[in-house]
Short mmCIF file of all heavy atoms in Angstrom, two decimals:
data_model
loop_
_atom_site.label_atom_id
_atom_site.label_comp_id
_atom_site.label_asym_id
_atom_site.label_seq_id
_atom_site.Cartn_x
_atom_site.Cartn_y
_atom_site.Cartn_z
N MET Y 261 17.71 -17.32 12.32
CA MET Y 261 17.74 -15.83 12.15
C MET Y 261 16.98 -15.23 13.32
O MET Y 261 15.82 -15.62 13.61
CB MET Y 261 17.06 -15.50 10.82
CG MET Y 261 17.16 -14.01 10.49
SD MET Y 261 16.34 -13.60 8.87
CE MET Y 261 17.57 -14.20 7.72
N SER Y 262 17.54 -14.25 13.92
CA SER Y 262 16.90 -13.65 15.10
C SER Y 262 15.77 -12.73 14.62
O SER Y 262 15.69 -12.28 13.50
CB SER Y 262 17.95 -12.88 15.91
OG SER Y 262 18.34 -11.75 15.23
N THR Y 263 14.91 -12.45 15.59
CA THR Y 263 13.78 -11.59 15.35
C THR Y 263 14.17 -10.18 14.92
O THR Y 263 13.62 -9.57 13.98
CB THR Y 263 12.86 -11.50 16.58
OG1 THR Y 263 12.50 -12.80 16.96
CG2 THR Y 263 11.64 -10.63 16.35
N SER Y 264 15.21 -9.65 15.57
CA SER Y 264 15.67 -8.30 15.20
C SER Y 264 16.20 -8.22 13.77
O SER Y 264 16.02 -7.22 13.06
CB SER Y 264 16.68 -7.83 16.25
OG SER Y 264 17.86 -8.62 16.20
N ILE Y 265 16.87 -9.25 13.33
CA ILE Y 265 17.40 -9.28 11.96
C ILE Y 265 16.19 -9.39 10.93
O ILE Y 265 16.20 -8.67 9.93
CB ILE Y 265 18.35 -10.46 11.75
CG1 ILE Y 265 19.66 -10.24 12.58
CG2 ILE Y 265 18.69 -10.66 10.30
CD1 ILE Y 265 20.58 -11.39 12.58
N ARG Y 266 15.22 -10.17 11.27
CA ARG Y 266 14.03 -10.28 10.37
C ARG Y 266 13.30 -8.93 10.36
O ARG Y 266 12.91 -8.53 9.26
CB ARG Y 266 13.10 -11.34 10.90
CG ARG Y 266 13.59 -12.77 10.50
CD ARG Y 266 12.53 -13.74 10.84
NE ARG Y 266 12.77 -14.10 12.29
CZ ARG Y 266 12.02 -14.92 12.99
NH1 ARG Y 266 10.99 -15.49 12.47
NH2 ARG Y 266 12.36 -15.19 14.27
N ILE Y 267 13.17 -8.27 11.48
CA ILE Y 267 12.55 -6.95 11.50
C ILE Y 267 13.37 -5.93 10.68
O ILE Y 267 12.82 -5.14 9.84
CB ILE Y 267 12.35 -6.48 12.94
CG1 ILE Y 267 11.28 -7.35 13.68
CG2 ILE Y 267 11.90 -5.00 12.93
CD1 ILE Y 267 11.14 -7.04 15.12
N ALA Y 268 14.65 -5.97 10.82
CA ALA Y 268 15.50 -5.08 10.05
C ALA Y 268 15.39 -5.34 8.54
O ALA Y 268 15.32 -4.45 7.74
CB ALA Y 268 16.97 -5.23 10.47
N ASN Y 269 15.28 -6.62 8.15
CA ASN Y 269 15.08 -6.95 6.69
C ASN Y 269 13.77 -6.45 6.19
O ASN Y 269 13.63 -5.96 5.10
CB ASN Y 269 15.21 -8.49 6.59
CG ASN Y 269 16.63 -9.00 6.70
OD1 ASN Y 269 17.57 -8.18 6.56
ND2 ASN Y 269 16.77 -10.29 6.96
N ILE Y 270 12.71 -6.64 7.04
CA ILE Y 270 11.40 -6.14 6.67
C ILE Y 270 11.43 -4.65 6.50
O ILE Y 270 10.91 -4.09 5.47
CB ILE Y 270 10.29 -6.54 7.66
CG1 ILE Y 270 10.13 -8.11 7.59
CG2 ILE Y 270 9.01 -5.89 7.42
CD1 ILE Y 270 9.26 -8.68 8.70
N VAL Y 271 12.00 -3.96 7.43
CA VAL Y 271 12.10 -2.47 7.34
C VAL Y 271 12.88 -2.07 6.12
O VAL Y 271 12.49 -1.14 5.39
CB VAL Y 271 12.72 -1.92 8.60
CG1 VAL Y 271 13.05 -0.40 8.44
CG2 VAL Y 271 11.84 -2.11 9.87
N ASP Y 272 13.97 -2.68 5.83
CA ASP Y 272 14.77 -2.44 4.59
C ASP Y 272 13.89 -2.62 3.34
O ASP Y 272 13.95 -1.73 2.40
CB ASP Y 272 16.02 -3.27 4.52
CG ASP Y 272 17.06 -2.88 5.56
OD1 ASP Y 272 16.97 -1.78 6.11
OD2 ASP Y 272 17.98 -3.68 5.81
N GLU Y 273 13.17 -3.69 3.30
CA GLU Y 273 12.32 -3.97 2.12
C GLU Y 273 11.22 -2.94 1.98
O GLU Y 273 10.96 -2.44 0.89
CB GLU Y 273 11.69 -5.36 2.24
CG GLU Y 273 10.80 -5.74 1.09
CD GLU Y 273 11.50 -5.86 -0.23
OE1 GLU Y 273 12.78 -6.06 -0.27
OE2 GLU Y 273 10.79 -5.91 -1.24
N LEU Y 274 10.60 -2.54 3.07
CA LEU Y 274 9.59 -1.46 3.04
C LEU Y 274 10.19 -0.12 2.57
O LEU Y 274 9.55 0.56 1.78
CB LEU Y 274 8.94 -1.32 4.43
CG LEU Y 274 8.00 -2.45 4.92
CD1 LEU Y 274 7.62 -2.21 6.29
CD2 LEU Y 274 6.85 -2.51 3.98
N CYS Y 275 11.34 0.19 3.04
CA CYS Y 275 11.98 1.44 2.63
C CYS Y 275 12.35 1.41 1.09
O CYS Y 275 12.14 2.36 0.40
CB CYS Y 275 13.26 1.69 3.43
SG CYS Y 275 12.92 2.13 5.13
N ARG Y 276 12.74 0.22 0.62
CA ARG Y 276 13.07 0.09 -0.79
C ARG Y 276 11.83 0.27 -1.64
O ARG Y 276 11.85 0.97 -2.59
CB ARG Y 276 13.76 -1.28 -1.03
CG ARG Y 276 14.25 -1.44 -2.43
CD ARG Y 276 14.81 -2.85 -2.68
NE ARG Y 276 13.81 -3.91 -2.57
CZ ARG Y 276 12.89 -4.19 -3.50
NH1 ARG Y 276 12.80 -3.44 -4.57
NH2 ARG Y 276 11.97 -5.15 -3.32
N ARG Y 277 10.76 -0.34 -1.22
CA ARG Y 277 9.50 -0.28 -1.95
C ARG Y 277 8.94 1.12 -1.90
O ARG Y 277 8.37 1.63 -2.87
CB ARG Y 277 8.48 -1.27 -1.39
CG ARG Y 277 8.81 -2.71 -1.70
CD ARG Y 277 7.74 -3.66 -1.20
NE ARG Y 277 8.12 -5.05 -1.38
CZ ARG Y 277 7.34 -6.06 -1.20
NH1 ARG Y 277 6.12 -5.85 -0.70
NH2 ARG Y 277 7.76 -7.28 -1.33
N GLN Y 278 9.12 1.80 -0.76
CA GLN Y 278 8.63 3.18 -0.66
C GLN Y 278 9.39 4.05 -1.62
O GLN Y 278 8.81 4.91 -2.22
CB GLN Y 278 8.82 3.67 0.80
CG GLN Y 278 8.32 5.06 0.98
CD GLN Y 278 8.60 5.57 2.41
OE1 GLN Y 278 9.40 4.96 3.11
NE2 GLN Y 278 7.92 6.61 2.82
N ASP Y 279 10.73 3.89 -1.71
CA ASP Y 279 11.51 4.65 -2.69
C ASP Y 279 11.02 4.42 -4.15
O ASP Y 279 10.89 5.39 -4.90
CB ASP Y 279 12.95 4.27 -2.53
CG ASP Y 279 13.63 4.77 -1.25
OD1 ASP Y 279 13.02 5.70 -0.59
OD2 ASP Y 279 14.70 4.22 -0.90
N GLN Y 280 10.69 3.17 -4.42
CA GLN Y 280 10.17 2.85 -5.78
C GLN Y 280 8.87 3.63 -6.04
O GLN Y 280 8.68 4.14 -7.09
CB GLN Y 280 10.02 1.34 -5.99
CG GLN Y 280 11.28 0.58 -6.07
CD GLN Y 280 11.01 -0.92 -6.20
OE1 GLN Y 280 9.98 -1.40 -5.83
NE2 GLN Y 280 12.02 -1.61 -6.72
N VAL Y 281 7.96 3.56 -5.05
CA VAL Y 281 6.68 4.19 -5.19
C VAL Y 281 6.81 5.69 -5.36
O VAL Y 281 6.16 6.29 -6.17
CB VAL Y 281 5.75 3.88 -4.00
CG1 VAL Y 281 4.51 4.72 -3.97
CG2 VAL Y 281 5.38 2.39 -4.02
N LEU Y 282 7.72 6.31 -4.56
CA LEU Y 282 7.92 7.78 -4.68
C LEU Y 282 8.50 8.16 -6.01
O LEU Y 282 8.15 9.11 -6.59
CB LEU Y 282 8.88 8.21 -3.55
CG LEU Y 282 8.30 8.16 -2.16
CD1 LEU Y 282 9.39 8.50 -1.12
CD2 LEU Y 282 7.07 9.10 -2.06
N GLN Y 283 9.39 7.27 -6.62
CA GLN Y 283 9.92 7.53 -7.90
C GLN Y 283 8.83 7.45 -8.95
O GLN Y 283 8.78 8.27 -9.89
CB GLN Y 283 11.09 6.54 -8.24
CG GLN Y 283 12.34 6.82 -7.45
CD GLN Y 283 13.38 5.72 -7.71
OE1 GLN Y 283 13.08 4.71 -8.35
NE2 GLN Y 283 14.62 5.97 -7.20
N GLU Y 284 7.95 6.45 -8.84
CA GLU Y 284 6.83 6.32 -9.81
C GLU Y 284 5.90 7.48 -9.68
O GLU Y 284 5.42 7.98 -10.70
CB GLU Y 284 6.09 4.99 -9.51
CG GLU Y 284 6.87 3.77 -9.92
CD GLU Y 284 6.09 2.47 -9.64
OE1 GLU Y 284 4.86 2.48 -9.67
OE2 GLU Y 284 6.80 1.46 -9.39
N LEU Y 285 5.63 7.98 -8.45
CA LEU Y 285 4.79 9.09 -8.30
C LEU Y 285 5.40 10.38 -8.93
O LEU Y 285 4.73 11.15 -9.52
CB LEU Y 285 4.54 9.42 -6.79
CG LEU Y 285 3.55 8.43 -6.13
CD1 LEU Y 285 3.47 8.66 -4.66
CD2 LEU Y 285 2.13 8.53 -6.75
N ASP Y 286 6.69 10.57 -8.73
CA ASP Y 286 7.37 11.67 -9.39
C ASP Y 286 7.23 11.60 -10.91
O ASP Y 286 6.96 12.63 -11.56
CB ASP Y 286 8.82 11.74 -8.99
CG ASP Y 286 9.07 12.21 -7.56
OD1 ASP Y 286 8.12 12.85 -7.03
OD2 ASP Y 286 10.21 11.95 -7.01
N SER Y 287 7.40 10.41 -11.46
CA SER Y 287 7.28 10.19 -12.93
C SER Y 287 5.86 10.54 -13.39
O SER Y 287 5.70 11.28 -14.38
CB SER Y 287 7.64 8.79 -13.28
OG SER Y 287 7.41 8.54 -14.63
N LEU Y 288 4.86 10.03 -12.64
CA LEU Y 288 3.47 10.36 -13.04
C LEU Y 288 3.16 11.85 -12.91
O LEU Y 288 2.51 12.39 -13.72
CB LEU Y 288 2.53 9.50 -12.11
CG LEU Y 288 2.48 8.02 -12.39
CD1 LEU Y 288 1.63 7.35 -11.30
CD2 LEU Y 288 1.92 7.72 -13.75
N ASP Y 289 3.69 12.47 -11.92
CA ASP Y 289 3.50 13.87 -11.71
C ASP Y 289 4.07 14.68 -12.88
O ASP Y 289 3.39 15.59 -13.41
CB ASP Y 289 4.14 14.33 -10.39
CG ASP Y 289 3.86 15.84 -10.05
OD1 ASP Y 289 2.67 16.20 -10.17
OD2 ASP Y 289 4.83 16.50 -9.72
N GLN Y 290 5.26 14.33 -13.36
CA GLN Y 290 5.82 15.00 -14.52
C GLN Y 290 4.98 14.75 -15.75
O GLN Y 290 4.76 15.65 -16.55
CB GLN Y 290 7.27 14.42 -14.74
CG GLN Y 290 8.21 14.93 -13.70
CD GLN Y 290 9.60 14.25 -13.81
OE1 GLN Y 290 9.77 13.48 -14.69
NE2 GLN Y 290 10.48 14.58 -12.94
N ARG Y 291 4.48 13.54 -15.96
CA ARG Y 291 3.67 13.23 -17.11
C ARG Y 291 2.35 14.05 -17.05
O ARG Y 291 1.89 14.54 -18.09
CB ARG Y 291 3.39 11.74 -17.20
CG ARG Y 291 4.66 10.96 -17.63
CD ARG Y 291 4.53 9.47 -17.55
NE ARG Y 291 3.36 8.91 -18.24
CZ ARG Y 291 2.96 7.68 -18.12
NH1 ARG Y 291 3.63 6.86 -17.35
NH2 ARG Y 291 1.84 7.25 -18.70
N ILE Y 292 1.74 14.13 -15.90
CA ILE Y 292 0.53 14.87 -15.75
C ILE Y 292 0.78 16.32 -16.08
O ILE Y 292 0.00 17.04 -16.78
CB ILE Y 292 -0.06 14.77 -14.32
CG1 ILE Y 292 -0.57 13.31 -14.16
CG2 ILE Y 292 -1.21 15.80 -14.02
CD1 ILE Y 292 -1.00 12.96 -12.73
N GLU Y 293 1.86 16.89 -15.61
CA GLU Y 293 2.25 18.30 -15.90
C GLU Y 293 2.36 18.50 -17.40
O GLU Y 293 1.92 19.54 -17.96
CB GLU Y 293 3.53 18.71 -15.19
CG GLU Y 293 3.30 18.92 -13.64
CD GLU Y 293 4.56 19.37 -13.01
OE1 GLU Y 293 5.56 19.76 -13.67
OE2 GLU Y 293 4.58 19.28 -11.73
N GLN Y 294 3.03 17.56 -18.06
CA GLN Y 294 3.21 17.66 -19.50
C GLN Y 294 1.83 17.61 -20.28
O GLN Y 294 1.59 18.42 -21.20
CB GLN Y 294 4.06 16.53 -20.07
CG GLN Y 294 5.51 16.63 -19.59
CD GLN Y 294 6.30 15.33 -20.00
OE1 GLN Y 294 5.79 14.41 -20.46
NE2 GLN Y 294 7.64 15.44 -19.80
N VAL Y 295 0.98 16.76 -19.79
CA VAL Y 295 -0.34 16.70 -20.43
C VAL Y 295 -1.15 17.99 -20.20
O VAL Y 295 -1.75 18.50 -21.09
CB VAL Y 295 -1.22 15.51 -19.88
CG1 VAL Y 295 -2.67 15.54 -20.31
CG2 VAL Y 295 -0.50 14.20 -20.36
N LEU Y 296 -1.07 18.55 -18.97
CA LEU Y 296 -1.78 19.77 -18.69
C LEU Y 296 -1.25 20.89 -19.53
O LEU Y 296 -2.02 21.75 -19.99
CB LEU Y 296 -1.73 20.06 -17.18
CG LEU Y 296 -2.51 19.14 -16.31
CD1 LEU Y 296 -2.26 19.46 -14.82
CD2 LEU Y 296 -3.98 19.21 -16.63
N LYS Y 297 0.11 20.94 -19.67
CA LYS Y 297 0.66 22.00 -20.49
C LYS Y 297 0.23 21.91 -21.94
O LYS Y 297 -0.05 22.89 -22.56
CB LYS Y 297 2.20 21.97 -20.41
CG LYS Y 297 2.74 22.51 -19.07
CD LYS Y 297 4.27 22.34 -19.05
CE LYS Y 297 4.77 22.79 -17.69
NZ LYS Y 297 6.26 22.64 -17.60
N SER Y 298 0.21 20.65 -22.42
CA SER Y 298 -0.23 20.50 -23.81
C SER Y 298 -1.70 20.83 -24.04
O SER Y 298 -2.10 21.34 -25.08
CB SER Y 298 0.02 19.05 -24.30
OG SER Y 298 -0.89 18.13 -23.67
N LEU Y 299 -2.51 20.62 -23.02
CA LEU Y 299 -3.93 20.95 -23.14
C LEU Y 299 -4.15 22.50 -23.03
O LEU Y 299 -4.98 23.03 -23.72
CB LEU Y 299 -4.72 20.32 -22.00
CG LEU Y 299 -4.90 18.83 -22.04
CD1 LEU Y 299 -5.54 18.29 -20.80
CD2 LEU Y 299 -5.60 18.37 -23.29
N SER Y 300 -3.29 23.17 -22.28
CA SER Y 300 -3.52 24.64 -22.12
C SER Y 300 -3.12 25.37 -23.40
O SER Y 300 -3.52 26.50 -23.59
CB SER Y 300 -2.75 25.19 -20.94
OG SER Y 300 -1.32 24.97 -21.16
N LYS Y 301 -2.36 24.71 -24.31
CA LYS Y 301 -1.91 25.39 -25.51
C LYS Y 301 -3.02 25.44 -26.59
O LYS Y 301 -2.98 26.25 -27.45
CB LYS Y 301 -0.69 24.68 -26.08
CG LYS Y 301 0.56 24.89 -25.22
CD LYS Y 301 1.75 24.14 -25.83
CE LYS Y 301 2.94 24.25 -24.94
NZ LYS Y 301 4.11 23.49 -25.44
N THR Y 302 -3.96 24.53 -26.47
CA THR Y 302 -5.03 24.45 -27.46
C THR Y 302 -6.04 25.52 -27.15
O THR Y 302 -6.51 25.68 -26.05
CB THR Y 302 -5.70 23.07 -27.48
OG1 THR Y 302 -6.22 22.82 -26.17
CG2 THR Y 302 -4.74 22.02 -27.87
N PRO Y 303 -6.49 26.28 -28.16
CA PRO Y 303 -7.50 27.31 -27.95
C PRO Y 303 -8.86 26.68 -27.61
O PRO Y 303 -9.11 25.60 -28.03
CB PRO Y 303 -7.45 28.12 -29.24
CG PRO Y 303 -7.02 27.08 -30.29
CD PRO Y 303 -6.05 26.18 -29.55
N GLU Y 304 -9.63 27.50 -26.90
CA GLU Y 304 -10.99 27.04 -26.61
C GLU Y 304 -11.83 27.01 -27.89
O GLU Y 304 -11.66 27.92 -28.77
CB GLU Y 304 -11.66 28.01 -25.62
CG GLU Y 304 -11.05 27.96 -24.25
CD GLU Y 304 -11.38 26.63 -23.50
OE1 GLU Y 304 -12.50 26.15 -23.69
OE2 GLU Y 304 -10.51 26.13 -22.81
N PRO Y 305 -12.65 26.00 -28.07
CA PRO Y 305 -13.47 26.02 -29.22
C PRO Y 305 -14.48 27.13 -29.22
O PRO Y 305 -14.95 27.54 -28.16
CB PRO Y 305 -14.18 24.62 -29.21
CG PRO Y 305 -14.12 24.25 -27.75
CD PRO Y 305 -12.86 24.89 -27.19
N VAL Y 306 -14.82 27.61 -30.37
CA VAL Y 306 -15.79 28.67 -30.50
C VAL Y 306 -17.18 28.08 -30.27
O VAL Y 306 -17.57 27.15 -30.90
CB VAL Y 306 -15.72 29.38 -31.84
CG1 VAL Y 306 -16.79 30.45 -31.95
CG2 VAL Y 306 -14.36 29.95 -32.02
N VAL Y 307 -17.90 28.65 -29.34
CA VAL Y 307 -19.24 28.22 -29.05
C VAL Y 307 -20.29 29.01 -29.89
O VAL Y 307 -20.29 30.23 -29.80
CB VAL Y 307 -19.60 28.35 -27.51
CG1 VAL Y 307 -20.98 27.91 -27.27
CG2 VAL Y 307 -18.60 27.59 -26.68
N VAL Y 308 -21.04 28.29 -30.68
CA VAL Y 308 -21.99 28.97 -31.51
C VAL Y 308 -23.40 28.51 -30.94
O VAL Y 308 -23.73 27.36 -30.92
CB VAL Y 308 -21.93 28.48 -32.97
CG1 VAL Y 308 -22.94 29.11 -33.78
CG2 VAL Y 308 -20.54 28.73 -33.48
N PRO Y 309 -24.16 29.53 -30.46
CA PRO Y 309 -25.49 29.26 -29.92
C PRO Y 309 -26.39 28.71 -31.07
O PRO Y 309 -26.45 29.24 -32.17
CB PRO Y 309 -25.99 30.59 -29.39
CG PRO Y 309 -25.22 31.61 -30.07
CD PRO Y 309 -23.91 31.01 -30.45
N ILE Y 310 -27.13 27.66 -30.78
CA ILE Y 310 -28.09 27.06 -31.73
C ILE Y 310 -29.46 27.24 -31.18
O ILE Y 310 -29.76 26.73 -30.06
CB ILE Y 310 -27.79 25.60 -31.95
CG1 ILE Y 310 -26.35 25.39 -32.52
CG2 ILE Y 310 -28.83 24.99 -32.87
CD1 ILE Y 310 -25.91 24.00 -32.63
N PRO Y 311 -30.30 28.08 -31.84
CA PRO Y 311 -31.66 28.33 -31.26
C PRO Y 311 -32.47 27.00 -31.36
O PRO Y 311 -32.43 26.31 -32.42
CB PRO Y 311 -32.22 29.42 -32.11
CG PRO Y 311 -31.39 29.33 -33.41
CD PRO Y 311 -30.09 28.82 -33.03
N ILE Y 312 -33.17 26.76 -30.35
CA ILE Y 312 -34.06 25.56 -30.27
C ILE Y 312 -35.48 26.06 -30.10
O ILE Y 312 -35.79 26.72 -29.18
CB ILE Y 312 -33.68 24.61 -29.13
CG1 ILE Y 312 -32.24 24.16 -29.28
CG2 ILE Y 312 -34.66 23.48 -29.06
CD1 ILE Y 312 -31.70 23.34 -28.14
N PRO Y 313 -36.32 25.73 -31.05
CA PRO Y 313 -37.70 26.21 -30.99
C PRO Y 313 -38.38 25.53 -29.78
O PRO Y 313 -38.24 24.33 -29.55
CB PRO Y 313 -38.40 25.82 -32.28
CG PRO Y 313 -37.39 24.77 -32.89
CD PRO Y 313 -36.06 24.97 -32.26
N VAL Y 314 -39.11 26.34 -29.03
CA VAL Y 314 -39.87 25.88 -27.84
C VAL Y 314 -41.34 26.06 -28.12
O VAL Y 314 -41.78 27.11 -28.47
CB VAL Y 314 -39.40 26.59 -26.58
CG1 VAL Y 314 -40.19 26.19 -25.39
CG2 VAL Y 314 -37.90 26.54 -26.38
N GLN Y 315 -42.08 24.97 -27.93
CA GLN Y 315 -43.50 25.03 -28.15
C GLN Y 315 -44.17 25.83 -27.05
O GLN Y 315 -43.66 26.01 -25.96
CB GLN Y 315 -44.09 23.66 -28.13
CG GLN Y 315 -43.56 22.79 -29.25
CD GLN Y 315 -44.13 21.41 -29.27
OE1 GLN Y 315 -44.87 21.02 -28.35
NE2 GLN Y 315 -43.80 20.56 -30.29
N ALA Y 316 -45.33 26.42 -27.32
CA ALA Y 316 -46.06 27.29 -26.36
C ALA Y 316 -46.36 26.51 -25.05
O ALA Y 316 -46.32 27.16 -23.98
CB ALA Y 316 -47.35 27.77 -27.02
N GLN Y 317 -46.69 25.23 -25.15
CA GLN Y 317 -46.99 24.48 -23.92
C GLN Y 317 -45.79 24.39 -23.00
O GLN Y 317 -45.88 24.47 -21.77
CB GLN Y 317 -47.44 23.10 -24.28
CG GLN Y 317 -48.84 23.05 -24.98
CD GLN Y 317 -49.17 21.65 -25.42
OE1 GLN Y 317 -48.36 20.75 -25.39
NE2 GLN Y 317 -50.40 21.51 -25.84
N GLN Y 318 -44.60 24.28 -23.55
CA GLN Y 318 -43.36 24.16 -22.77
C GLN Y 318 -43.05 25.54 -22.09
O GLN Y 318 -42.56 25.61 -21.05
CB GLN Y 318 -42.24 23.69 -23.59
CG GLN Y 318 -42.30 22.24 -24.02
CD GLN Y 318 -41.18 21.81 -24.92
OE1 GLN Y 318 -40.58 22.67 -25.62
NE2 GLN Y 318 -40.86 20.52 -24.93
N LYS Y 319 -43.36 26.62 -22.83
CA LYS Y 319 -43.14 27.94 -22.25
C LYS Y 319 -44.01 28.19 -21.09
O LYS Y 319 -43.56 28.82 -20.12
CB LYS Y 319 -43.42 29.04 -23.35
CG LYS Y 319 -42.32 29.10 -24.42
CD LYS Y 319 -42.64 30.22 -25.36
CE LYS Y 319 -41.62 30.27 -26.52
NZ LYS Y 319 -41.96 31.37 -27.51
N ALA Y 320 -45.21 27.70 -21.12
CA ALA Y 320 -46.15 27.92 -20.02
C ALA Y 320 -45.75 27.14 -18.75
O ALA Y 320 -46.08 27.51 -17.67
CB ALA Y 320 -47.57 27.55 -20.43
N ALA Y 321 -45.10 26.01 -18.94
CA ALA Y 321 -44.66 25.19 -17.84
C ALA Y 321 -43.56 25.76 -17.11
O ALA Y 321 -43.24 26.33 -16.26
CB ALA Y 321 -44.24 23.79 -18.31
#
């Protein structure tokens, strides 16, 4: 097998793998978008302030 044929085979394999990776990235991108959309539908929890007593020594510091 000549060197140019081996190089062509390697390039073909790299291109094939690149296509697979790009397809997986597209799939992951779509899944991330779905998760973000589902998160944005949930309302923010109501924040209730809870008073914490502070001792006089801590106030002076």
Side-chain angles (χ1 to χ4, degrees):
M261 185 180 285
S262 71
T263 303
S264 60
I265 293 175
R266 281 186 276 177
I267 292 173
N269 288 340
I270 292 170
V271 170
D272 288 344
E273 179 67 17
L274 288 173
C275 290
R276 187 183 63 75
R277 290 184 185 186
Q278 181 182 17
D279 289 343
Q280 287 177 341
V281 169
L282 290 174
Q283 288 174 351
E284 289 179 28
L285 285 173
D286 285 342
S287 174
L288 288 172
D289 186 46
Q290 290 173 358
R291 288 172 50 192
I292 289 171
E293 286 181 15
Q294 290 172 352
V295 169
L296 291 176
K297 285 179 184 177
S298 71
L299 291 175
S300 65
K301 292 179 182 176
T302 58
E304 290 290 324
V306 176
V307 178
V308 178
I310 301 173
I312 300 174
V314 179
Q315 295 178 359
Q317 291 175 348
Q318 290 177 334
K319 286 183 183 179

